[in-house]
Amino acid sequence: MTPSEERGIGPVNGGDTFRILHVSTGNVCRSPITERLTRHALRDRLGDLSAGGLIVESAGTWGHEGAPMEPNAETVLADFGADPSGFTGRELLDEHVIRADLVLTATRDHRAQVISMGHSAGLRTFTLKEFTRLVRAIDPATLPDPRSDGFVERARALVRAAAALRGWLLAPSAEADEVYDPYGAPITFFRSIGDEINQALDPVVTALTGVPASR
């Protein structure tokens, strides 16, 4: 397996794919937690993802290239039963943005930085909590059926629908779209951030797959 394949879920080359890129600052706390919780949630719903075409990655705007995940971030992932192993940090590059079908950032500043890189990223870049808010307003019946049309087509339609709603469904406050940085904080704060991320991801992954979480 290549390093690129290890970063994702599903085939990287060949076939139709949909890439989700999670972005934070250092790529050692928030975005690794979000990446691995997304993979965990997708596996929970879909089981074998080898044919799903969904690829989940992460990077940091000031990413610590090659750095391990923060130990507290690993602990949070273990709390959720997600796999923290084999992670290495990456600095966000143009190629990551170009290849991504959906970019989910920790904060509005990260979103602005991604969009400023160009590559027509504006319509596919959201903060995580912003995307969650928009997804909750989308009628799942208006999206392609993943059983007949595939997960990739459903995911692409979901991003288009969310982008169309963005100007109409505003955040109740600026802070509502932020996931704050736990770097250097005690494990209790890391766990609260992990809970925030997990709660924000649940409706997103359900909308992507058409499958609710198992309880």
Side-chain angles (χ1 to χ4, degrees), residues 115-212:
I115 293 171
S116 73
M117 295 171 71
H119 315 303
S120 302
L123 291 178
R124 50 195 168 90
T125 302
F126 310 79
T127 74
L128 171 62
K129 289 186 175 180
E130 173 192 23
F131 195 66
T132 300
R133 184 176 69 255
L134 298 171
V135 161
R136 289 184 184 277
I138 297 168
D139 182 356
T142 65
L143 299 173
D145 187 338
R147 294 169 296 182
S148 56
D149 301 306
F151 297 108
V152 170
E153 284 306 310
R154 184 181 178 93
R156 289 175 178 163
L158 183 68
V159 172
R160 289 193 298 269
L165 280 175
R166 178 149 44 189
W168 299 94
L169 193 62
L170 302 179
S173 67
E175 292 73 24
D177 283 344
E178 305 283 287
V179 176
Y180 291 107
D181 192 356
Y183 185 78
I187 186 60
T188 51
F189 188 63
F190 265 84
R191 285 188 164 122
S192 70
I193 293 299
D195 287 338
E196 279 186 38
I197 291 171
N198 191 60
Q199 290 174 26
L201 281 173
D202 182 69
V204 170
V205 176
T206 297
L208 283 168
T209 62
V211 181

Side-chain angles (χ1 to χ4, degrees), residues 22-35 58 73 106-107 110 178-183 190 193 197:
H22 294 294
V23 175
S24 63
T25 303
N27 195 214
V28 292
C29 297
R30 287 168 291 181
S31 50
I33 290 172
T34 315
E35 173 194 319
S58 65
T107 69
H110 296 132
E178 305 283 287
V179 176
Y180 291 107
D181 192 356
Y183 185 78
F190 265 84
I193 293 299
I197 291 171

Side-chain angles (χ1 to χ4, degrees), residues 64-140:
H64 300 295
E65 190 72 30
M69 193 185 309
E70 279 290 295
N72 280 349
E74 292 187 346
T75 299
V76 167
L77 289 173
D79 288 345
F80 286 101
D83 182 10
S85 66
F87 181 86
T88 55
R90 301 193 303 179
E91 182 177 357
L92 180 67
L93 302 176
D94 288 278
E95 66 187 70
H96 302 144
V97 177
I98 291 168
R99 294 170 62 179
D101 297 287
L102 171 62
V103 184
L104 296 176
T105 69
T107 69
R108 292 168 299 148
D109 283 346
H110 296 132
R111 182 185 65 193
Q113 289 179 67
V114 171
I115 293 171
S116 73
M117 295 171 71
H119 315 303
S120 302
L123 291 178
R124 50 195 168 90
T125 302
F126 310 79
T127 74
L128 171 62
K129 289 186 175 180
E130 173 192 23
F131 195 66
T132 300
R133 184 176 69 255
L134 298 171
V135 161
R136 289 184 184 277
I138 297 168
D139 182 356

